[in-house]
Amino acid sequence: MKKLISIVAIFLAVIMVWQGCKKKDEKGTIYGTVTDFDTGEPVKNANVKLLPSGETTLTGSDGTYMFQDLKKGDYSLSLSKAEYEDLNDDYVIQLAAGREVSRDVQMKKKVALMRITDMNGEDITVLDFGDEGDDMSRIFNIFNDSGVPLSWEITTTANWIQTPANGATGTLQAGETKGIVVVIDRSKLQQGDNTTTMHITSNNGNQQLTIKARRADVSTLEATGVTGNSAVLNGKINGNVAYSEKGFYYGTNHNLSNKVVVSGNGTGAFSKQITGLSENTTYYFKAYCIRNGECLNGEEKCFTNVNFPSFEYNGHTYWVAPASNKMQWSMANSYCNNYSTYGIVGWRMPTIEELTQMYLNGIRDYSNWLWSSTPSSSGTSYYCVYMNDGDITDWSSTREYCVRPVRIAN
C-alpha cells in the first residue's frame, strides 16, 4: 500500500512540474487599434512594427492589428504611413506568458506646406508689372513643400487681373510645383499705381501675393538744361491717349502752385523751358494731361537750380565745381568722386579733353595747373592743363595740384 502511495505521489509531482513548464512556454498576444489623432477615425493599411522582434503587420479596414505567438517580455510599437508622421511609441508593453495585452495608438497626419516662389525657386510676396505697356503677363510658382497632397485655390477681386489661364484651382502632390500665369488688362488700370492682393488658399491656411501695376498715360521725365535761372521740363504722353491739354505743374514745394501749358496735341515726348528761377533752389515738378475732363498726372520729380559755370562738349552740358586745394592725384580723384553740393552728387575728375574745353569756354578763374583723369603713356603721371594759357603737360601723380570736379548737368 505504501508503495502504491509513493508511486501516485511521484506521478502527481511529475504532472505538476510538466504543467508548470507548459505554462511558462505558453505564447502571448499584443493587439490594438490605430486611429487618427484629430478625427478619431480608424487608420487602415498603417505599417505596425513590433520591437525588438521586428515583426510587422498592416492595420485592417477597422484600424486593428494583432501580433500572436509571442514570448513573454517587454515590447514597443513603431508605426508608419505615407500621409502620417512616423510614430515611435515609447510605451513599454509588458507581456506575461499566455497573456493578451491591448495597446491602442493615435497617428498624426503630416501638415501640407505651401510656398509661393519665383521661377528661380525664391520665396516672393510681390509680383510687380511696372508701367511698361507690353508687360502684361508674369509667372509665379506654387510649391508643395511637404509629403502630403496640397489642394489650392486662387482668388482676387481686382477687375484688371484675369483668371489665371492655366486654372485657379488644383491639387499638388508631395514635392510638386505648379506655375501660375497671371495676365493683367492694362486698359482697366487706373492712372498711377494700382495694387491688389491675390489670395492663394490651401488645406493648410493661405498666403497672399501682392500684385502691382502702374498706368502712366503721362510720364514725367528728368529736367534738362538747368542753369542759374532756367530749366527745361520734360514729359511724355504714352500710347494713343486722346487729351485736350498737356503741360507741367512746378514750384519750390510739393504744392506745385505754378502751371505752364504746352501747345500741340500729339503723343510722345514734350517739353517746356521755364525761366525766372531762383539760384540754389530745389524745384518740384510733374507732367500732366487732361483727358475727358480728368487731370492725369505723372510722377513728381525735382531738380536743384544751382548756378554752376558750364560748358558744352560732345552734345552734353557740363557743370564745373569750384577748384579744390592742392593735393596729389589720388586724393584729387577721391575728392571729385565724393564731392557733393546742394544735395547734388555724381561728380568726377575731368578728362584732358573736358579740361581743355573748360579752358576754351573761358572758365579760367584759377590760374594754375589742374589735374585731369587722363594718364600719360608712362603710366605714372597724368595730364594737366595750365589754366593761365591752356598749356598741356603730364606730371607725376605725387605732385600737388588743384582739381575742379565736373558732371553732366541734370
Side-chain angles (χ1 to χ4, degrees), residues 281-305:
T281 303
T282 297
Y283 284 85
Y284 303 89
F285 71 102
K286 62 184 178 183
Y288 79 92
C289 71
I290 296 178
R291 182 187 64 184
N292 298 327
E294 178 186 8
C295 185
L296 307 178
N297 297 301
E299 292 180 281
E300 183 180 289
K301 294 184 179 294
C302 68
F303 64 90
T304 301
N305 200 47

mmCIF file of all heavy atoms in Angstrom, residues 281-305:
data_model
loop_
_atom_site.group_PDB
_atom_site.id
_atom_site.type_symbol
_atom_site.label_atom_id
_atom_site.label_comp_id
_atom_site.label_asym_id
_atom_site.label_seq_id
_atom_site.Cartn_x
_atom_site.Cartn_y
_atom_site.Cartn_z
ATOM 1 N N THR A 281 18.153 126.679 -55.543
ATOM 2 C CA THR A 281 16.840 126.336 -55.002
ATOM 3 C C THR A 281 16.356 125.037 -55.634
ATOM 4 O O THR A 281 16.517 124.830 -56.840
ATOM 5 C CB THR A 281 15.820 127.453 -55.294
ATOM 6 O OG1 THR A 281 16.304 128.686 -54.735
ATOM 7 C CG2 THR A 281 14.456 127.113 -54.703
ATOM 8 N N THR A 282 15.736 124.189 -54.829
ATOM 9 C CA THR A 282 15.171 122.939 -55.340
ATOM 10 C C THR A 282 13.747 123.184 -55.816
ATOM 11 O O THR A 282 12.918 123.754 -55.082
ATOM 12 C CB THR A 282 15.181 121.852 -54.253
ATOM 13 O OG1 THR A 282 16.530 121.567 -53.886
ATOM 14 C CG2 THR A 282 14.534 120.565 -54.770
ATOM 15 N N TYR A 283 13.465 122.756 -57.044
ATOM 16 C CA TYR A 283 12.136 122.873 -57.637
ATOM 17 C C TYR A 283 11.542 121.480 -57.843
ATOM 18 O O TYR A 283 12.251 120.541 -58.231
ATOM 19 C CB TYR A 283 12.191 123.611 -58.973
ATOM 20 C CG TYR A 283 12.356 125.107 -58.820
ATOM 21 C CD1 TYR A 283 13.617 125.662 -58.660
ATOM 22 C CD2 TYR A 283 11.256 125.964 -58.831
ATOM 23 C CE1 TYR A 283 13.789 127.036 -58.505
ATOM 24 C CE2 TYR A 283 11.406 127.338 -58.685
ATOM 25 C CZ TYR A 283 12.670 127.866 -58.523
ATOM 26 O OH TYR A 283 12.828 129.219 -58.366
ATOM 27 N N TYR A 284 10.226 121.364 -57.607
ATOM 28 C CA TYR A 284 9.497 120.128 -57.828
ATOM 29 C C TYR A 284 8.560 120.320 -59.014
ATOM 30 O O TYR A 284 8.009 121.403 -59.221
ATOM 31 C CB TYR A 284 8.693 119.757 -56.584
ATOM 32 C CG TYR A 284 9.553 119.621 -55.350
ATOM 33 C CD1 TYR A 284 9.810 120.729 -54.535
ATOM 34 C CD2 TYR A 284 10.117 118.402 -54.998
ATOM 35 C CE1 TYR A 284 10.607 120.613 -53.409
ATOM 36 C CE2 TYR A 284 10.912 118.270 -53.872
ATOM 37 C CZ TYR A 284 11.154 119.387 -53.081
ATOM 38 O OH TYR A 284 11.951 119.272 -51.972
ATOM 39 N N PHE A 285 8.372 119.264 -59.805
ATOM 40 C CA PHE A 285 7.507 119.401 -60.980
ATOM 41 C C PHE A 285 6.932 118.047 -61.378
ATOM 42 O O PHE A 285 7.440 116.990 -60.996
ATOM 43 C CB PHE A 285 8.280 120.015 -62.148
ATOM 44 C CG PHE A 285 9.314 119.101 -62.759
ATOM 45 C CD1 PHE A 285 9.063 118.430 -63.957
ATOM 46 C CD2 PHE A 285 10.543 118.899 -62.142
ATOM 47 C CE1 PHE A 285 10.005 117.583 -64.515
ATOM 48 C CE2 PHE A 285 11.498 118.051 -62.699
ATOM 49 C CZ PHE A 285 11.227 117.389 -63.895
ATOM 50 N N LYS A 286 5.838 118.096 -62.169
ATOM 51 C CA LYS A 286 5.258 116.885 -62.741
ATOM 52 C C LYS A 286 4.532 117.255 -64.026
ATOM 53 O O LYS A 286 3.989 118.356 -64.177
ATOM 54 C CB LYS A 286 4.291 116.213 -61.764
ATOM 55 C CG LYS A 286 3.089 117.050 -61.374
ATOM 56 C CD LYS A 286 2.235 116.329 -60.330
ATOM 57 C CE LYS A 286 1.053 117.187 -59.888
ATOM 58 N NZ LYS A 286 0.261 116.526 -58.817
ATOM 59 N N ALA A 287 4.545 116.321 -64.969
ATOM 60 C CA ALA A 287 3.808 116.494 -66.212
ATOM 61 C C ALA A 287 2.347 116.136 -65.987
ATOM 62 O O ALA A 287 2.011 115.363 -65.086
ATOM 63 C CB ALA A 287 4.415 115.612 -67.298
ATOM 64 N N TYR A 288 1.468 116.716 -66.809
ATOM 65 C CA TYR A 288 0.049 116.391 -66.712
ATOM 66 C C TYR A 288 -0.588 116.418 -68.099
ATOM 67 O O TYR A 288 -0.048 116.987 -69.056
ATOM 68 C CB TYR A 288 -0.684 117.373 -65.786
ATOM 69 C CG TYR A 288 -0.999 118.696 -66.453
ATOM 70 C CD1 TYR A 288 -2.224 118.907 -67.116
ATOM 71 C CD2 TYR A 288 -0.077 119.749 -66.446
ATOM 72 C CE1 TYR A 288 -2.495 120.110 -67.751
ATOM 73 C CE2 TYR A 288 -0.358 120.956 -67.065
ATOM 74 C CZ TYR A 288 -1.561 121.124 -67.720
ATOM 75 O OH TYR A 288 -1.835 122.319 -68.353
ATOM 76 N N CYS A 289 -1.747 115.793 -68.197
ATOM 77 C CA CYS A 289 -2.601 115.977 -69.366
ATOM 78 C C CYS A 289 -4.045 115.858 -68.904
ATOM 79 O O CYS A 289 -4.339 115.248 -67.872
ATOM 80 C CB CYS A 289 -2.289 114.969 -70.475
ATOM 81 S SG CYS A 289 -2.781 113.270 -70.121
ATOM 82 N N ILE A 290 -4.955 116.467 -69.648
ATOM 83 C CA ILE A 290 -6.375 116.422 -69.304
ATOM 84 C C ILE A 290 -7.086 115.568 -70.344
ATOM 85 O O ILE A 290 -7.055 115.865 -71.539
ATOM 86 C CB ILE A 290 -6.979 117.836 -69.244
ATOM 87 C CG1 ILE A 290 -6.313 118.633 -68.121
ATOM 88 C CG2 ILE A 290 -8.496 117.772 -69.016
ATOM 89 C CD1 ILE A 290 -6.796 120.062 -68.000
ATOM 90 N N ARG A 291 -7.721 114.499 -69.867
ATOM 91 C CA ARG A 291 -8.429 113.566 -70.741
ATOM 92 C C ARG A 291 -9.865 113.432 -70.239
ATOM 93 O O ARG A 291 -10.092 113.077 -69.080
ATOM 94 C CB ARG A 291 -7.747 112.202 -70.727
ATOM 95 C CG ARG A 291 -8.384 111.172 -71.656
ATOM 96 C CD ARG A 291 -7.765 109.818 -71.466
ATOM 97 N NE ARG A 291 -8.025 109.301 -70.120
ATOM 98 C CZ ARG A 291 -7.534 108.150 -69.659
ATOM 99 N NH1 ARG A 291 -6.704 107.449 -70.397
ATOM 100 N NH2 ARG A 291 -7.827 107.738 -68.435
ATOM 101 N N ASN A 292 -10.804 113.762 -71.097
ATOM 102 C CA ASN A 292 -12.229 113.679 -70.743
ATOM 103 C C ASN A 292 -12.532 114.423 -69.438
ATOM 104 O O ASN A 292 -13.304 113.955 -68.593
ATOM 105 C CB ASN A 292 -12.671 112.222 -70.612
ATOM 106 C CG ASN A 292 -12.532 111.453 -71.914
ATOM 107 O OD1 ASN A 292 -12.694 112.015 -73.002
ATOM 108 N ND2 ASN A 292 -12.220 110.170 -71.810
ATOM 109 N N GLY A 293 -11.913 115.591 -69.291
ATOM 110 C CA GLY A 293 -12.144 116.417 -68.119
ATOM 111 C C GLY A 293 -11.381 115.992 -66.888
ATOM 112 O O GLY A 293 -11.445 116.675 -65.855
ATOM 113 N N GLU A 294 -10.648 114.890 -66.955
ATOM 114 C CA GLU A 294 -9.886 114.398 -65.802
ATOM 115 C C GLU A 294 -8.413 114.757 -65.988
ATOM 116 O O GLU A 294 -7.835 114.576 -67.061
ATOM 117 C CB GLU A 294 -10.022 112.880 -65.679
ATOM 118 C CG GLU A 294 -9.216 112.287 -64.531
ATOM 119 C CD GLU A 294 -9.257 110.767 -64.520
ATOM 120 O OE1 GLU A 294 -9.774 110.173 -65.489
ATOM 121 O OE2 GLU A 294 -8.757 110.170 -63.534
ATOM 122 N N CYS A 295 -7.786 115.273 -64.916
ATOM 123 C CA CYS A 295 -6.368 115.622 -64.954
ATOM 124 C C CYS A 295 -5.539 114.410 -64.549
ATOM 125 O O CYS A 295 -5.648 113.915 -63.425
ATOM 126 C CB CYS A 295 -6.070 116.797 -64.016
ATOM 127 S SG CYS A 295 -4.365 117.377 -64.124
ATOM 128 N N LEU A 296 -4.720 113.928 -65.471
ATOM 129 C CA LEU A 296 -3.846 112.788 -65.220
ATOM 130 C C LEU A 296 -2.435 113.299 -64.991
ATOM 131 O O LEU A 296 -1.914 114.085 -65.790
ATOM 132 C CB LEU A 296 -3.870 111.825 -66.410
ATOM 133 C CG LEU A 296 -5.252 111.345 -66.867
ATOM 134 C CD1 LEU A 296 -5.125 110.444 -68.075
ATOM 135 C CD2 LEU A 296 -5.976 110.652 -65.724
ATOM 136 N N ASN A 297 -1.817 112.872 -63.903
ATOM 137 C CA ASN A 297 -0.514 113.386 -63.520
ATOM 138 C C ASN A 297 0.566 112.314 -63.616
ATOM 139 O O ASN A 297 0.334 111.143 -63.283
ATOM 140 C CB ASN A 297 -0.546 113.920 -62.085
ATOM 141 C CG ASN A 297 -1.486 115.094 -61.941
ATOM 142 O OD1 ASN A 297 -1.330 116.113 -62.598
ATOM 143 N ND2 ASN A 297 -2.484 114.940 -61.084
ATOM 144 N N GLY A 298 1.748 112.727 -64.019
ATOM 145 C CA GLY A 298 2.909 111.862 -63.973
ATOM 146 C C GLY A 298 3.546 111.915 -62.594
ATOM 147 O O GLY A 298 3.057 112.618 -61.690
ATOM 148 N N GLU A 299 4.618 111.191 -62.419
ATOM 149 C CA GLU A 299 5.319 111.198 -61.141
ATOM 150 C C GLU A 299 5.949 112.563 -60.878
ATOM 151 O O GLU A 299 6.325 113.275 -61.801
ATOM 152 C CB GLU A 299 6.415 110.136 -61.128
ATOM 153 C CG GLU A 299 5.922 108.713 -61.142
ATOM 154 C CD GLU A 299 7.070 107.731 -61.117
ATOM 155 O OE1 GLU A 299 7.676 107.516 -62.179
ATOM 156 O OE2 GLU A 299 7.359 107.188 -60.041
ATOM 157 N N GLU A 300 6.069 112.894 -59.597
ATOM 158 C CA GLU A 300 6.731 114.136 -59.219
ATOM 159 C C GLU A 300 8.244 113.945 -59.233
ATOM 160 O O GLU A 300 8.758 112.967 -58.715
ATOM 161 C CB GLU A 300 6.275 114.569 -57.832
ATOM 162 C CG GLU A 300 6.866 115.902 -57.380
ATOM 163 C CD GLU A 300 6.385 116.301 -56.004
ATOM 164 O OE1 GLU A 300 5.194 116.666 -55.871
ATOM 165 O OE2 GLU A 300 7.204 116.225 -55.060
ATOM 166 N N LYS A 301 8.969 114.863 -59.841
ATOM 167 C CA LYS A 301 10.421 114.859 -59.848
ATOM 168 C C LYS A 301 10.929 116.211 -59.379
ATOM 169 O O LYS A 301 10.131 117.145 -59.148
ATOM 170 C CB LYS A 301 10.959 114.533 -61.249
ATOM 171 C CG LYS A 301 10.634 113.115 -61.722
ATOM 172 C CD LYS A 301 11.266 112.806 -63.056
ATOM 173 C CE LYS A 301 10.966 111.387 -63.506
ATOM 174 N NZ LYS A 301 11.602 110.385 -62.621
ATOM 175 N N CYS A 302 12.237 116.340 -59.235
ATOM 176 C CA CYS A 302 12.784 117.608 -58.756
ATOM 177 C C CYS A 302 14.154 117.867 -59.368
ATOM 178 O O CYS A 302 14.784 116.963 -59.916
ATOM 179 C CB CYS A 302 12.869 117.611 -57.228
ATOM 180 S SG CYS A 302 14.080 116.462 -56.552
ATOM 181 N N PHE A 303 14.591 119.092 -59.282
ATOM 182 C CA PHE A 303 15.942 119.490 -59.683
ATOM 183 C C PHE A 303 16.359 120.665 -58.815
ATOM 184 O O PHE A 303 15.512 121.377 -58.256
ATOM 185 C CB PHE A 303 16.003 119.866 -61.168
ATOM 186 C CG PHE A 303 15.182 121.074 -61.534
ATOM 187 C CD1 PHE A 303 15.721 122.360 -61.497
ATOM 188 C CD2 PHE A 303 13.842 120.924 -61.908
ATOM 189 C CE1 PHE A 303 14.957 123.464 -61.823
ATOM 190 C CE2 PHE A 303 13.074 122.034 -62.234
ATOM 191 C CZ PHE A 303 13.626 123.299 -62.190
ATOM 192 N N THR A 304 17.651 120.854 -58.664
ATOM 193 C CA THR A 304 18.180 121.997 -57.913
ATOM 194 C C THR A 304 18.780 122.989 -58.897
ATOM 195 O O THR A 304 19.654 122.648 -59.694
ATOM 196 C CB THR A 304 19.244 121.550 -56.902
ATOM 197 O OG1 THR A 304 18.665 120.611 -56.003
ATOM 198 C CG2 THR A 304 19.782 122.738 -56.119
ATOM 199 N N ASN A 305 18.290 124.210 -58.837
ATOM 200 C CA ASN A 305 18.655 125.216 -59.828
ATOM 201 C C ASN A 305 19.914 125.976 -59.401
ATOM 202 O O ASN A 305 19.891 127.160 -59.106
ATOM 203 C CB ASN A 305 17.483 126.190 -60.006
ATOM 204 C CG ASN A 305 17.583 126.923 -61.323
ATOM 205 O OD1 ASN A 305 17.825 126.309 -62.337
ATOM 206 N ND2 ASN A 305 17.399 128.229 -61.287
#
